[in-house]
Amino acid sequence: MERARAAGFPYSCDPAVGRPAATLAAGVPEGGRVLEIGTGVGVGPAWLVSGLLPRTDAAMTTIEHDPDRAGPAARGSRPDFGPPRGDALELLPKLGTYDPVFAYS
Ligand SMILES: C[S@@+](CC[C@H](N)C(=O)[O-])C[C@H]1O[C@@H](n2cnc3c(N)ncnc32)[C@H](O)[C@@H]1O
């Protein structure tokens, strides 16, 4: 949230949305795949990952088409990590199936 403030990005989900999103993510079955469309600068993904941890069986993917947002979202993570960058509508057919899907516009 500090990163979003510093970037002047006002569209991150607030805790009233992030907490239930984290709870829904936590409930995915073993081997579950969680998708977020619209990474922003990473607040939403942080909530989803906080719901999944400490599990290692589930995966979370987040897609952002604006490089000025996807870059800050990936900062501080492993060099090989980063949200797929591009239009979710183009990437979705190549990514397989997910449940649940969190879509923001
Ligand atoms: C409301 S913000 C989401 C913020 C983030 N989920 C969070 O809670 O911190 C919506 C984001 O969706 C992205 N977006 C909108 N349409 C998209 C699309 N078709 N593909 C990828 N990203 C998209 C926008 O660039 C914007 O960063």
Side-chain angles (χ1 to χ4, degrees):
M1 286 189 271
E2 283 174 18
R3 192 176 293 180
R5 270 192 291 275
F9 182 71
Y11 307 115
S12 300
C13 64
D14 61 37
V17 173
R19 275 193 207 98
T23 301
L24 285 169
V28 298
E30 187 165 357
R33 286 161 52 87
V34 177
L35 176 68
E36 178 190 55
I37 300 173
T39 311
V41 295
V43 174
W47 278 110
L48 296 175
V49 169
S50 77
L52 287 170
L53 288 173
R55 294 174 56 172
T56 56
D57 63 290
M60 196 278 288
T61 300
T62 178
I63 304 173
E64 175 56 55
H65 67 172
D66 184 332
D68 290 339
R69 296 172 185 171
R75 203 176 69 222
S77 36
R78 294 188 339 226
D80 59 339
F81 170 84
R85 298 177 191 199
D87 190 325
L89 295 177
E90 290 171 14
L91 290 168
L92 280 177
K94 304 171 198 156
L95 293 176
T97 58
Y98 288 87
D99 185 22
V101 175
F102 297 88
Y104 309 91
S105 58

